[in-house]
Amino acid sequence: MFTNDQRQQERTGQYGTSRQQYLQELVNQFQNTSDEETKEKIAANLANFAYDPYNYSFLRQLNVLELFLDCITEPNEKLMEFGIGGICNSCVDPANAAIITQCGGIPLVIKCLSSPVRNTVNYALGALYYLCNKSNREEILKPEVIDVIERYAAAQTVNASFSNLAKAFLDKHVS
């Protein structure tokens, strides 16, 4: 459910932790732990916060978008999945999409299209749908990327989710 200042105040009460402070604590925990399982849980938690527009400015202030991009570069498939999930959830917002693009996120998102993890591929397709615009079309709409997306679009019987997301991408950006 999307939140707002009033709902947030009701949920946290007079002495509760503000959303920004809570997210900062998560970022600090992520940065200060070397335990992979703990990092996975924190990245998943942050990705869940990334869907709500109320959190977008906090995510930008706390460099969480960059943290998500860092997760995509990790060899840990779970971190990769939660990183691209956070990117997908947050890139609907043009300001977030611009940061992701400026930080070199497009090649990282494209790389996720070849992941063996289904959620990672779904999130990558969703993220590319929202990231693709006039200023970066050439970077995203390369023949090899379109080829992969077209193969996902044709895979209706194998994976309807891949197919539907790929078809939506092609309808919006290629056709």
Side-chain angles (χ1 to χ4, degrees), residues 18-28 45-46 49 55 58-59 62 64:
S18 72
R19 179 64 56 89
Q20 184 173 10
Q21 183 180 349
Y22 181 72
L23 292 172
Q24 179 67 67
E25 289 170 10
L26 287 175
V27 170
N28 291 344
N45 201 346
L46 287 168
F49 280 104
N55 299 318
F58 304 138
L59 298 176
L62 300 171
V64 174

Side-chain angles (χ1 to χ4, degrees), residues 36 70-80 111:
E36 289 291 305
D70 288 343
C71 287
I72 295 174
T73 66
E74 293 291 324
N76 178 323
E77 290 289 348
K78 286 278 190 198
L79 281 178
M80 195 178 211
K111 183 179 166 219

Side-chain angles (χ1 to χ4, degrees), residues 110 113 128 139-150:
I110 290 170
L113 291 174
L128 288 172
E139 186 176 7
I140 294 174
L141 300 180
K142 293 178 181 175
E144 60 272 20
V145 176
I146 296 303
D147 182 56
V148 169
I149 295 174
E150 286 175 339

Side-chain angles (χ1 to χ4, degrees), residues 27-91:
V27 170
N28 291 344
Q29 289 172 12
F30 184 90
Q31 292 171 336
N32 293 326
T33 189
S34 57
D35 181 65
E36 289 291 305
E37 188 175 336
T38 301
K39 281 190 171 211
E40 292 167 4
K41 289 176 182 177
I42 295 168
N45 201 346
L46 287 168
N48 284 335
F49 280 104
Y51 82 93
D52 190 341
Y54 181 81
N55 299 318
Y56 290 168
S57 64
F58 304 138
L59 298 176
R60 289 191 294 270
Q61 290 168 19
L62 300 171
N63 297 320
V64 174
L65 302 172
E66 291 86 342
L67 183 147
F68 289 147
L69 291 172
D70 288 343
C71 287
I72 295 174
T73 66
E74 293 291 324
N76 178 323
E77 290 289 348
K78 286 278 190 198
L79 281 178
M80 195 178 211
E81 175 185 352
F82 299 136
I84 189 64
I87 294 296
C88 181
N89 286 348
S90 61
C91 73

